[in-house]
Amino acid sequence: MTNDDLWRQALGEIELAVSRANFVTWFKDTKIMDQADGIVTVGVPNGFSKEWLENKFHKFILKSLRVRIPEIRAINYTIVAPSASAAKQLKSKPKKENVLTSGEQLDFKEFYIDPKTNLNPKYTLETFIVGSFNELAHAAALAVIKNPGRVYNPLFIYGGVGLGKTHLLQAIGNAILKENQNKKVYYITSEKFANELLNSLQNQTIQNFKEKFRDYDLLIVDDVQFFVNKTKTQEEFFHMFNTLFESGKQLVFSSDRSPKSIPSLGEINDRLISRMEAGVLVDISEPEYESRLAILKSKSAEKKVELPESTLELIALLIQKSIRELEGALNTIHIQSKYQNKVLNQEEVKSILSKNIKPRNAVTPSQIIKTVADFYDIPEKSIYEHTRKTEVVRPRQIAMFLIRDDLGGSYPFIGQKFGGMDHTTAIHAYEKISEEVKRNSKLEDELKLIRDIYQNTTATK
Ligand code: ADP
Ligand code: MG
């Protein structure tokens, strides 16, 4: 097999597993340059592609190559000027879907970060899922977009890693620009701010630097916790902050902790922090089960990933810490199913994800419903139907109760889960069962038995 053939085959497989935008962006102009002693050298057009292929796609590329030539052990990625032939190769593949349509080119544009604003157009409010864990932050963002520089100034959003701070900050910038293209919006991380400041001090361009910042209508500074320990940066930033603030410009910050928890390191730091605290502080907490599931559904639709609902439920149950990890898990499972060319069962999903999670008793709403249906000996699907037959109504109420009680599902979510019933049905079910269980020891025993079944089957299955 020639290098070109090998790469063409591998690309064919990779193309199926990654999004169109990713494929075009990261695999364009790539080529196998050399193959010797089990080491393949892949030529890439720039450092960006190199980084992405190394960090994001390496394992997958290696697998696709090994399936064809098992002796391959390693891959080197090396930057080469794009050759016309490699570019042509990607574009002139035989399948019709491979021709880029203008719509797909829009996708491709997603990765274009405007250097004037540092905004990435893919971070929008439309793709931002709102749940109880982040609804305050979202509402504050909307208020800022509606009335920049007014009441919610500065806006300070804090929360742990991978919970959506950058996404929301960028979405504010994108939304304000969408309303008014003439607004001067700028997004910067505190680290980049510090670097730029340092450079401008060294090059004696500090005046330009200051003027540039004075001009912004909206200044977004991400991860301000990194200002800690940088006295000079803090000082400049403090002045800039005051200038912008006093002229009614909007400031938005994020941090991994509240301003109070940023260690105090001197007077300027204290003044900066108390300025930040004087604005609006909102936190983003860890998403609860229901939001995690909603995010997975939205991401699957966005990326055209087709996985069964039960798999999404399991991922939502197992991955709890961050949305970034949730996305990672979704990608992993998607790629694995494509690669193994089958729907992975619950056990397989668990074992693939087990590296990232602590073991726990995983139960999903679907499993609860199935267990309840089995227990009362009715067909599972009847529970989802809007039937009023007594032999179905009661098990349905019990399943609703358990999903609420054990998984903390909200009423609208439960209603929806049961074939789109009204949330008042779920409220009624929950109240009825929780009242009745106090007086009815038979029901109490039944609930205990049902819980035993799903807790044990999921632990050992
Ligand atoms: P942080 O800045 O808090 O570390 P990010 O904003 O980088 O987190 O979010 C990590 C990933 O999760 C990003 O891909 C982002 O698009 C996604 N994400 C975060 N919050 C949400 C949300 N509420 N809805 C949809 N996607 C989200
Ligand atoms: Mg961030």
Side-chain angles (χ1 to χ4, degrees):
M1 198 183 316
T2 68
N3 287 342
D4 281 353
D5 283 342
L6 174 61
W7 194 232
R8 205 178 359 255
Q9 286 184 19
L11 284 181
E13 184 177 325
I14 293 164
E15 187 179 3
L16 292 178
V18 304
S19 78
R20 183 74 206 160
N22 267 337
F23 183 73
V24 175
T25 310
W26 308 118
F27 290 91
K28 190 170 169 249
D29 296 340
T30 57
K31 187 178 173 31
I32 293 184
M33 314 293 296
D34 183 42
Q35 207 193 126
D37 304 329
I39 299 174
V40 171
T41 305
V42 172
V44 298
N46 52 49
F48 244 157
S49 290
K50 181 166 164 9
E51 204 180 305
W52 272 75
L53 297 194
E54 275 172 354
N55 294 334
K56 283 228 140 175
F57 299 112
H58 173 72
K59 275 202 193 130
F60 194 64
I61 299 172
L62 188 60
K63 260 192 190 156
S64 328
L65 292 174
R66 262 197 199 147
V67 171
R68 289 163 181 95
I69 302 182
E71 291 74 37
I72 293 176
R73 288 179 291 114
I75 308 176
N76 276 330
Y77 300 88
T78 173
I79 301 173
V80 290
S83 79
S85 68
K88 223 171 74 209
Q89 212 180 46
L90 249 183
K91 285 199 188 118
S92 63
K93 299 236 329 263
K95 276 191 286 168
K96 192 162 175 286
E97 308 88 87
N98 287 325
V99 180
L100 277 180
T101 65
S102 58
E104 283 167 339
Q105 273 165 0
L106 273 182
D107 262 3
F108 180 43
K109 251 193 184 161
E110 273 189 353
F111 293 88
Y112 178 75
I113 295 174
D114 186 347
K116 267 214 328 256
T117 59
N118 287 335
L119 291 177
N120 183 337
K122 82 169 183 180
Y123 291 121
T124 62
L125 289 176
E126 287 74 41
T127 56
F128 191 78
I129 301 291
V130 183
S132 51
F133 71 108
N134 64 4
E135 64 187 347
L136 280 181
H138 178 255
L142 292 184
V144 162
I145 293 163
K146 207 163 162 212
N147 263 322
R150 303 288 176 77
V151 268
Y152 282 57
N153 203 14
L155 172 62
F156 191 104
I157 294 173
Y158 64 97
V161 174
L163 294 178
K165 300 182 297 296
T166 298
H167 188 138
L168 190 57
L169 259 54
Q170 289 248 345
I172 294 175
N174 280 320
I176 286 188
L177 269 183
K178 199 170 152 197
E179 300 240 314
N180 183 349
Q181 290 193 336
N182 299 322
K183 288 264 182 198
K184 293 213 171 66
V185 174
Y186 197 64
Y187 165 96
I188 191 166
T189 62
S190 69
E191 280 183 308
K192 190 140 181 281
F193 181 92
N195 284 339
E196 284 191 12
L197 177 74
L198 217 68
N199 284 340
S200 73
L201 285 171
Q202 276 163 3
N203 307 333
Q204 299 179 336
T205 51
I206 180 79
Q207 214 43 44
N208 298 352
F209 180 79
K210 285 182 182 168
E211 271 158 29
K212 173 175 117 172
F213 275 87
R214 253 175 225 153
D215 233 22
Y216 294 126
D217 299 306
L218 165 64
L219 177 63
I220 303 168
V221 187
D222 206 351
D223 290 323
V224 296
Q225 73 272 9
F226 293 125
F227 276 151
V228 174
N229 274 336
K230 299 193 177 93
T231 324
K232 183 69 195 160
T233 319
Q234 282 181 6
E235 216 175 286
E236 277 312 326
F237 184 67
F238 184 62
H239 294 310
M240 198 166 293
F241 180 111
N242 286 335
T243 316
L244 287 170
F245 186 72
E246 276 150 24
S247 45
K249 308 299 185 59
Q250 177 72 48
L251 294 142
V252 178
F253 305 121
S254 88
S255 164
D256 67 353
R257 60 201 97 161
S258 76
K260 261 205 181 60
S261 324
I262 299 178
S264 172
L265 294 161
E267 192 224 355
I268 194 79
N269 195 61
D270 288 349
R271 280 158 69 196
L272 186 55
I273 285 174
S274 75
R275 276 268 152 150
M276 289 177 168
E277 275 190 312
V280 173
L281 305 179
V282 280
D283 75 325
I284 300 184
S285 53
E286 285 172 13
E288 71 292 3
Y289 173 78
E290 189 184 341
S291 298
R292 298 199 296 273
L293 184 57
I295 287 165
L296 287 171
K297 284 185 179 170
S298 137
K299 302 277 173 197
S300 330
E302 211 177 292
K303 296 180 180 163
K304 305 208 166 52
V305 168
E306 277 174 32
L307 291 174
E309 168 118 4
S310 57
T311 303
L312 297 183
E313 287 178 348
L314 185 58
I315 300 174
L317 198 80
L318 295 173
I319 308 290
Q320 309 186 333
K321 282 281 165 218
S322 93
I323 296 168
R324 185 169 299 138
E325 282 172 25
L326 219 50
E327 283 189 310
L330 180 69
N331 281 339
T332 308
I333 298 303
H334 172 58
I335 289 177
Q336 284 287 341
S337 344
K338 282 269 179 192
Y339 187 61
Q340 300 185 23
N341 200 14
K342 63 170 193 182
V343 175
L344 302 174
N345 67 31
Q346 305 284 90
E347 252 341 283
E348 290 165 326
V349 171
K350 260 194 227 171
S351 100
I352 291 169
L353 297 181
S354 62
K355 283 154 258 145
N356 316 328
I357 48 178
K358 50 182 190 321
R360 53 163 279 149
N361 232 350
V363 59
T364 65
S366 300
Q367 285 167 328
I368 292 184
I369 293 171
K370 184 172 186 326
T371 311
V372 171
D374 287 351
F375 187 85
Y376 292 105
D377 201 19
I378 56 168
E380 188 185 342
K381 72 175 195 327
S382 67
I383 286 205
Y384 297 97
E385 291 161 1
H386 293 217
T387 164
R388 289 173 179 275
K389 285 186 207 148
T390 341
E391 69 267 27
V392 177
V393 170
R394 190 171 171 81
R396 186 194 294 134
Q397 288 176 337
I398 287 173
M400 286 179 164
F401 168 84
L402 288 168
I403 292 172
R404 171 87 187 164
D405 221 39
D406 285 14
L407 300 180
S410 77
Y411 295 123
F413 168 75
I414 295 172
Q416 212 191 5
K417 180 77 207 163
F418 288 77
M421 291 183 196
D422 197 75
H423 71 283
T424 52
T425 310
I427 297 177
H428 175 71
Y430 181 76
E431 287 173 353
K432 182 158 186 291
I433 301 299
S434 32
E435 263 316 299
E436 196 183 324
V437 76
K438 290 180 202 156
R439 313 174 254 109
N440 179 344
S441 62
K442 182 166 168 279
L443 177 62
E444 196 186 336
D445 289 344
E446 284 174 14
L447 290 179
K448 195 173 169 306
L449 284 171
I450 294 168
R451 281 182 160 128
D452 271 357
I453 296 170
Y454 62 68
Q455 278 160 4
N456 289 320
T457 41
T458 51
T460 52
K461 203 167 66 183

